Amino acid sequence: MHGSDKDGLMRWFCFASPLRRDAARQRHVAAWALWAVLAAGGISSAHGETGGCAASTPARGLPQPALCLQRAKIDAGDEAPNALFARAKAQLEAGHLEEAERSLDCADAVIGEDGDARLRYELVRRRGILDFRREWIPQALSRFECAVTLSTALGDRAATARDLSNLGAALRRLGDFRGALRSLTASLDIQRGTGQVSGAVLNNIADVYRELRQTDTAMRYYHDALAFYRGKGEPIEAAHVLETMAEVALDTGDARQASAWLQEALAAYRTGGNRVYELRVHDGLTRVALAQGDIAQAQRWTAGALALADTWKLPLPPALQLQIARTAQLSGRTAAAATRLREALASVPAGDPMRVSLLEQLATAQERAGDAVAANATLRDAHAKAIALADAQHDRQLDWLRVRFESAEQQRTIAALESENRLRRAEFRQRTLLLWFAIAVAVAAMLGFWLLQQRRRQREGLREQARRVRYEEELARYRREADALAEDRSLLQALLDSRDDALCLLDADGQLLAINRAGRLWLGYSDNEALVGQPVSAFVGETGRAALSSALERMEDSAAQRLEIPAREGAPLIAKLEPWSGGDGLVLLGPRDREQVAAPVIAIADAVVDGPVNTFADTDLAAGHVHEAGDDSGESSMRDAFRRTLVELMLASVDAWERATGTGRLEFAEKSRIWRVNIDDGRLRARALERYLSLSKLPRNPRWRDVLRSAYFVLGRGEELPAETRALLQSRVDAVLAYTRRDALV
C-alpha cells in the first residue's frame, strides 16, 4: 500500500502464532482453487467497465451532509470531501476504525451518487483500506478491484499502480500468492515506466516472498523499500519496514539484529509522536527479549508499554498482552500471568484469532500452577476455537466465492437499469435493492443445489461408465462367440482343392461355400471364374431350379438324395446331395456315379471342424444320426433334450427381438442374414426359421450353429435388451453350449 495507507494492514498479526498462520494457509488452498474458476470471469469483466463499480451504501444509510460536516467541524465546499478523507486517514492510523468509517460515510453523503468521478474513486479506495484493516479481506478485495477499474478509466497510471499493489496485498492475505505476485509485478512495472517506484509495492512484494518462505528474496525487497522511504524522508514508513524486517530476523533466529531494527523503529515513532505504533514495537521488543532469555529486559519493556498505555489512555493490543503474560509467567508470577490472560480474553472479540494464542498461554500458566484439569480444558477450548475460526473463515470465503461471479453480473445489470431509469430511481431504490437481494439469495441457493446435483451426476456418471465398460466387454464376447461359430472357408477350400473328385459344399439355402477345380469343371465353368458365394441354382437350367430348391429344403430331414438336374447347357447333371457329418445343415453336392465321393469328403469336413471349441465336430447327435453299436435310451434322451433346448433358445431369441425392436420374424431374418426369406402365395415368409420354433417341425439335422448365431445377434442389440432378458437368453445359450461340449468329449 502507498504511504501510511499500508499502516497497520498486517501489523496486528506480525507476531501471531505459527500454528494459526499455517492452519489459515491450508484452509485457503481449497477456497482459492474455486476462486480461480468462479472469479476469473468476474474480475476480468469488472475491469472492462465502470458502470457496475461503485462504493456501496452502508446498511445503516448515509448521514445528512450538513449535519455530519457540522459535527466534524469542517466547512462545506469543494474541499470538504478531501478534508473528510484526511480526517478518516488520521482516525485509521490511530486505530479508531468506527470513527474512520463515519468520516467516510459523511464524505460519501457529501459527494453524492453523481459526484466527481475522482472523488468517488478515492472513496472506494479508502473504504477498501478500512475493510482490510477490519480483516474483511473479501470485501476489501472487491473494493480494490473496483478502484483499479476506476483509476484505469481516469487514466491515472500512478493511482492504478497503487491500487494494483493494494489488490496484491489482499490476494496475499487470501492465499493466492500467484495472483498477488501478478498484481504487484504489474504495479511495479507501471511505476518503473513512469519513473516513480513506490516503496509500498516493494514492501508488498517482499511480504509475498516471505509467505512463500523465500527469505533471501524477501529481505532484498525489504532493503529496497527501506532505502526508498529513507531517501524520500518518510521515517514512519521506514519504521514499518524495519518492524517487518525485525520479525523476519527473529523468525530466522537473529534476535540481536531484530532488537536493533525494532529500537530504530521505536525511535522513529517516538519522534513522530505515534503512540499506537510505540505500543506495537514494545510487543516486538518484549518478544525479542524473551527469545534471548533476558527476562529482566522483557520486564522493562512490558512496564514501559503499560506506562505508555496508561498515560495516553490507549487500549493494549491482545498481542502485547500475550507478551506481558508470558513475561510475568517466566518471572514466576504465574497467577498474575493468568489474571492478565483472562482480562485480555474478556476484552478480545469472540472471532479474534488472538483468542487461540491467549488460551494456549493460559493453559500453560494453569499447568505450571498445578491445575492440570483446567489446563486440559483450556487447551481443548483453544483447539476448538482454532478449528471453528478456520472453518468459519473457510465457509465465509466459499459462500463469497459462490456468488461472486453472479454478483458481478447483477451489478452490471443494476447499473444498466439505473442508466435507463435515472429519473425514477429514487422512487424505486428500496424496492430494487430488496428485489436484487432476494435474487442473490435465490442464486446462492440454486448454486448450492446445482453443486449437489453435479456431484450426484458425477457419481452416477462413474457408475454408468463402469456399467458401459462391462457392457462393451459382453458385446465383444458375444461377437467372439458368434465369430467362433463361423467356419474357416479358406481352409475348406484348400482341403477341397486337394481332392480330384468333383465336390461342392453348400449351406442350407443352397449358397456355394466351397468348390474344387473338378467341381468347377463338372458345373461347366473354368478355373478363373468366381463361383463361391453364389447360389447353386444359378449354375443349372431354368427348369431345374425349382427341383434343386425343393431337394435342398428336404435335406434337413433326409440322409441323402439323388437327382438329375437340367444344366444350362449340355447334358443334365446327375448329382447326389448328402448332409455334412459336421451338422449345421451344410450339404455336399457331387456326381452320383462316383460311389466313393461321400466318405472321403465327410472325412475332410470332419477334419476341418475339429478346431473350434463349441462345435459338434464328430458327433452323431449334430448330424441327426444314432450310434449303430447301441440305440440306448440315454443317447436318445440326450438327443431329444438337445433338440428341445435348441427350440427354446430360438423361441427366446425371437421373443427378445420382438420385444426389443417391435418388429417381427421377417425383419429378424432379414437383419440377421442368417435365415432365408421366401415368397409363398404372394407373401413373404421365413420358412426355415419357423421350423426352429416348434419341436415337432425341427429338422432332423438342425442348424444349431445358426441358432446360436441368431441368439448372439439378438444379444448384440445392446441397451435395447433389458438386463433380465439378456440374462435369460445367455442362460439358454449356455445350455446349448453345454450339450455341444458334452458330446464333443464323448
Side-chain angles (χ1 to χ4, degrees):
M1 306 228 166
H2 178 70
S4 58
D5 293 339
K6 179 180 178 294
D7 191 87
L9 293 180
M10 286 294 295
R11 296 295 171 252
W12 294 114
F13 297 94
C14 283
F15 302 99
S17 168
L19 174 62
R20 174 166 49 80
R21 293 201 303 270
D22 292 341
R25 186 179 297 110
Q26 294 172 1
R27 303 294 290 184
H28 288 154
V29 172
W32 283 98
L34 178 60
W35 178 90
V37 177
L38 293 180
I43 292 174
S44 61
S45 61
H47 287 181
E49 54 186 76
T50 62
C53 178
S56 60
T57 301
R60 62 177 179 272
L62 295 177
Q64 292 294 329
L67 182 59
C68 68
L69 286 175
Q70 183 180 359
R71 290 175 178 173
K73 298 180 180 181
I74 296 176
D75 296 332
D78 295 340
E79 294 300 321
N82 292 325
L84 288 169
F85 289 151
R87 180 185 178 90
K89 179 180 179 181
Q91 292 167 339
L92 193 64
E93 290 176 351
H96 306 309
L97 305 184
E98 295 295 332
E99 296 178 5
E101 183 179 22
R102 284 193 290 270
S103 297
L104 292 178
D105 289 345
C106 184
D108 195 351
V110 171
I111 296 170
E113 296 183 0
D114 300 327
D116 182 72
R118 185 168 292 278
L119 292 176
R120 299 298 302 175
Y121 153 73
E122 189 66 22
L123 178 64
V124 172
R125 185 179 73 86
R126 291 186 179 276
R127 284 195 184 277
I129 295 173
L130 178 62
D131 289 339
F132 196 101
R133 282 290 303 274
R134 284 175 163 171
E135 293 299 316
W136 298 350
I137 306 303
Q139 292 86 334
L141 179 65
S142 298
R143 295 190 191 277
F144 290 154
E145 290 169 353
C146 181
V148 171
T149 302
L150 295 175
S151 61
T152 303
L154 292 171
D156 191 341
R157 291 176 58 81
T160 301
R162 177 183 58 196
D163 297 329
L164 285 171
S165 176
N166 294 346
L167 181 63
L171 290 173
R172 178 177 69 87
R173 290 296 306 279
L174 287 170
D176 185 8
F177 301 122
R178 179 179 297 179
L181 277 179
R182 184 166 55 248
S183 297
L184 292 171
T185 303
S187 174
L188 186 59
D189 290 342
I190 293 175
Q191 292 180 352
R192 285 173 175 169
T194 59
Q196 298 178 351
V197 177
S198 169
V201 176
L202 296 170
N203 194 69
N204 288 338
I205 293 176
D207 288 341
V208 174
Y209 280 112
R210 178 188 170 197
E211 291 286 350
L212 295 174
R213 302 182 187 278
Q214 298 182 22
T215 306
D216 294 339
T217 305
M219 290 300 291
R220 185 173 69 251
Y221 278 100
Y222 282 135
H223 281 293
D224 292 344
L226 181 62
F228 171 83
Y229 286 128
R230 284 175 172 172
K232 290 289 186 179
E234 298 181 10
I236 300 299
E237 297 299 332
H240 292 334
V241 179
L242 286 171
E243 280 189 82
T244 308
M245 293 171 61
E247 182 184 355
V248 176
L250 186 59
D251 290 340
T252 57
D254 192 354
R256 185 173 183 179
Q257 181 63 67
S259 177
W261 280 334
L262 285 172
Q263 292 193 41
E264 185 178 351
L266 180 61
Y269 290 147
R270 284 175 176 171
T271 302
N274 197 313
R275 312 306 176 188
V276 175
Y277 293 158
E278 282 190 58
L279 279 180
R280 192 171 64 200
V281 175
H282 278 76
D283 172 19
L285 288 169
T286 304
R287 183 184 170 195
V288 169
L290 292 176
Q292 292 176 326
D294 191 350
I295 299 177
Q297 183 62 42
Q299 290 174 339
R300 285 191 290 273
W301 287 121
T302 57
L306 291 172
L308 181 65
D310 183 65
T311 301
W312 297 97
K313 307 302 180 184
L314 298 176
L316 289 174
L320 178 58
Q321 295 200 61
L322 176 63
Q323 300 305 325
I324 294 174
R326 289 183 60 204
T327 303
Q329 183 175 332
L330 292 174
S331 301
R333 295 182 291 113
T334 304
T339 302
R340 170 68 63 180
L341 291 170
R342 290 190 181 94
E343 292 176 356
L345 286 169
S347 63
V348 174
D352 195 322
M354 279 302 301
R355 290 188 66 86
V356 177
S357 299
L358 292 170
L359 286 170
E360 291 173 349
Q361 190 64 37
L362 178 59
T364 303
Q366 291 170 338
E367 182 182 9
R368 291 194 176 184
D371 193 353
V373 175
N376 287 333
T378 304
L379 278 178
R380 285 195 296 270
D381 188 19
H383 180 67
K385 283 183 170 54
I387 294 176
L389 286 171
D391 289 342
Q393 183 179 10
H394 181 255
D395 293 341
R396 286 195 301 270
Q397 289 176 344
L398 284 182
D399 292 339
W400 171 72
L401 292 172
R402 289 190 186 101
V403 299
R404 180 174 176 79
F405 180 77
E406 294 297 333
S407 297
E409 295 294 328
Q410 292 167 14
Q411 290 175 2
R412 284 195 291 271
T413 305
I414 292 174
L417 291 174
E418 287 179 349
S419 63
E420 295 175 1
N421 303 284
R422 186 175 299 274
L423 295 178
R424 296 179 295 174
R425 182 170 51 191
E427 179 182 355
F428 296 101
R429 176 183 298 173
Q430 185 176 5
R431 183 182 302 176
T432 302
L433 290 175
L434 291 175
L435 174 63
W436 285 108
F437 176 75
I439 291 175
V441 173
V443 168
M446 292 174 61
L447 181 59
F449 177 75
W450 178 79
L451 290 174
L452 291 176
Q453 290 295 107
Q454 286 297 107
R455 186 175 180 183
R456 186 180 296 111
R457 290 194 188 100
Q458 184 181 16
R459 290 196 298 265
E460 292 176 355
L462 292 175
R463 288 195 293 267
E464 176 64 20
Q465 185 177 6
R467 187 194 64 78
R468 184 169 293 278
V469 169
R470 292 193 299 270
Y471 162 71
E472 293 294 339
E473 292 176 352
E474 289 182 358
L475 286 186
R477 183 169 62 86
Y478 295 150
R479 295 189 186 101
R480 290 194 300 270
E481 295 289 348
D483 293 341
L485 295 172
E487 297 298 337
D488 190 342
R489 307 304 182 195
S490 60
L491 181 56
L492 283 173
Q493 183 65 54
L495 291 173
L496 292 182
D497 285 341
S498 66
R499 301 290 301 175
D500 295 331
D501 305 322
L503 300 175
C504 305
L505 183 62
L506 314 176
D507 63 8
D509 294 326
Q511 187 177 12
L512 194 60
L513 301 179
I515 184 171
N516 61 3
R517 179 176 179 277
R520 286 189 176 88
L521 297 176
W522 179 54
L523 292 178
Y525 291 88
S526 61
D527 290 344
N528 57 358
E529 294 189 58
L531 306 180
V532 175
Q534 301 186 32
V536 72
S537 58
F539 310 136
V540 301
E542 186 71 28
T543 58
R545 292 179 181 176
L548 179 59
S549 178
S550 299
L552 287 171
E553 290 182 2
R554 292 192 299 272
M555 281 306 298
E556 287 186 319
D557 294 310
S558 62
Q561 297 184 65
R562 291 172 174 77
L563 65 158
E564 187 174 312
I565 308 172
R568 291 191 301 178
E569 298 178 1
L573 300 175
I574 301 174
K576 179 180 181 180
L577 293 175
E578 289 183 341
W580 176 39
S581 65
D584 201 20
L586 299 184
V587 178
L588 292 172
L589 172 66
R592 191 175 67 184
D593 55 349
R594 296 292 302 272
E595 296 300 333
Q596 300 302 322
V597 169
V601 172
I602 294 172
I604 292 172
D606 290 343
V608 171
V609 298
D610 281 340
V613 176
N614 299 327
T615 63
F616 271 98
D618 292 317
T619 68
D620 292 330
L621 179 60
H625 297 164
V626 180
H627 288 293
E628 294 180 1
D631 192 9
D632 54 38
S633 59
E635 188 73 21
S636 176
S637 175
M638 186 174 69
R639 180 175 181 274
D640 292 341
F642 174 68
R643 292 169 62 83
R644 184 165 49 256
T645 305
L646 279 179
V647 172
E648 291 174 351
L649 176 58
M650 197 65 202
L651 285 170
S653 301
V654 173
D655 180 68
W657 167 269
E658 292 175 347
R659 290 177 181 272
T661 65
T663 58
R665 303 172 184 175
L666 288 177
E667 288 79 3
F668 175 64
E670 291 178 352
K671 294 289 181 63
S672 66
R673 297 185 180 181
I674 299 172
W675 306 98
R676 185 176 180 182
V677 178
N678 310 95
I679 301 177
D680 289 345
D681 297 330
R683 44 185 202 123
L684 298 175
R685 292 186 59 189
R687 290 201 306 268
L689 183 148
E690 291 172 356
R691 296 191 64 187
Y692 286 81
L693 301 177
S694 172
L695 188 61
S696 61
K697 296 180 181 180
L698 187 67
R700 178 185 177 188
N701 303 320
R703 295 152 55 183
W704 58 271
R705 287 188 181 86
D706 287 346
V707 175
L708 285 174
R709 289 172 59 203
S710 300
Y712 287 131
F713 175 75
V714 175
L715 285 171
R717 299 300 296 181
E719 295 182 351
E720 297 179 7
L721 291 180
E724 57 273 11
T725 302
R726 188 183 298 111
L728 175 62
L729 198 56
Q730 183 62 53
S731 66
R732 297 196 182 278
V733 168
D734 294 338
V736 172
L737 292 176
Y739 278 106
T740 64
R741 296 189 183 100
R742 183 188 309 165
D743 193 80
L745 295 173
V746 173

